[in-house]
């Protein structure tokens, strides 16, 4: 009876606190997160999966502005074809990632199912996983749902933090602001041959 009551109380606590929070306490993610986004299979990425990964990359890249020690490495950031990355284990040595968000797509005649797995790049152990499903008639919502789910898996804000320009400028160190101003000036200069 005591064992049953304890198990029931534990299950009720898990539901009340949310299982993701309990998992974050028991098995936390590293404080420095260099996350490589990777499609599976890496060699034959369907167009829909590439679009969804692009949306996830954009959402997570916006979180880089407000989350310390976060870097998102999208498929577009990868080196050329000479350094092909066909397995999550290669992301550590090639890209410097310590986490890999692997996405695979299962599509039937009526629905699409996106499987997301967050792996440790070194050991390739699954740290978090999630599934996003939607009907093919509502396929446009898949990217938004996947972006939200990926942010939850990485313990990032699920909505964009809107800061006004003066608020953002208060938190920027003077040397960083100077470098940004110089870079912005160079960007606005006309391009020349070569």
């Amino acid at each position: 009876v005591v064992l049953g009551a304890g198990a029931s109380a534990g299950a009720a606590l898990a539901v009340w606190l949310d299982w993701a929070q309990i998992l974050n306490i028991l098995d936390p993610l590293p404080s420095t997160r260099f996350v490589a986004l990777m499609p599976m299979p890496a060699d034959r990425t369907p167009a829909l999966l590439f679009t969804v990964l692009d949306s996830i990359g954009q959402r997570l890249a916006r979180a880089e502005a407000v989350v310390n020690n976060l870097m998102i490495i999208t498929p577009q950031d990868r080196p050329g074809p000479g350094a092909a990355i066909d397995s999550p284990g290669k992301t550590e040595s090639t890209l410097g990632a310590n986490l890999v968000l692997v996405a695979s797509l299962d599509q039937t005649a009526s629905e699409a199912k996106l499987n997301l797995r967050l792996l440790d790049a070194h050991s390739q152990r699954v740290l978090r996983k999630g599934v996003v499903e939607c009907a093919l008639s509502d396929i446009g919502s898949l990217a938004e749902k996947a972006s939200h789910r990926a942010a939850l898996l990485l313990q990032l804000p699920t909505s964009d933090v809107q800061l006004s320009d003066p608020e953002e400028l208060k938190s920027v160190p003077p040397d960083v602001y100077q470098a940004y101003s110089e870079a912005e000036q160079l960007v606005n200069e006309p391009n020349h041959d070569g």
Side-chain angles (χ1 to χ4, degrees), residues 2 7 12 67 70 78 82 91 119 127 143 147 164 178 181 184-185:
V2 172
V67 176
L70 173 68
R78 295 192 181 156
T91 59
L119 308 175
L127 303 173
S147 299
S164 65
Q178 179 67 30
S181 299
E184 194 170 54
Q185 182 181 3

Side-chain angles (χ1 to χ4, degrees), residues 89-158:
K90 290 185 179 178
T91 59
E92 183 180 27
S93 61
T94 307
L95 303 174
N98 64 343
L99 297 171
V100 183
L101 184 64
V102 177
S104 62
L105 183 68
D106 296 327
Q107 195 170 347
T108 64
S110 61
E111 69 174 5
K113 180 177 168 183
L114 182 75
N115 297 300
L116 295 171
R117 291 180 299 138
L118 183 64
L119 308 175
D120 178 86
H122 182 69
S123 66
Q124 297 186 26
R125 180 176 68 97
V126 177
L127 303 173
R128 309 280 188 277
K129 60 184 174 181
V131 176
V132 178
E133 297 179 80
C134 77
L136 284 183
S137 59
D138 191 28
I139 199 71
S141 69
L142 183 63
E144 180 61 31
K145 290 177 183 177
S147 299
H148 181 79
R149 185 70 179 151
L152 286 174
L153 291 176
L154 286 163
Q155 301 172 359
L156 299 175
T158 55

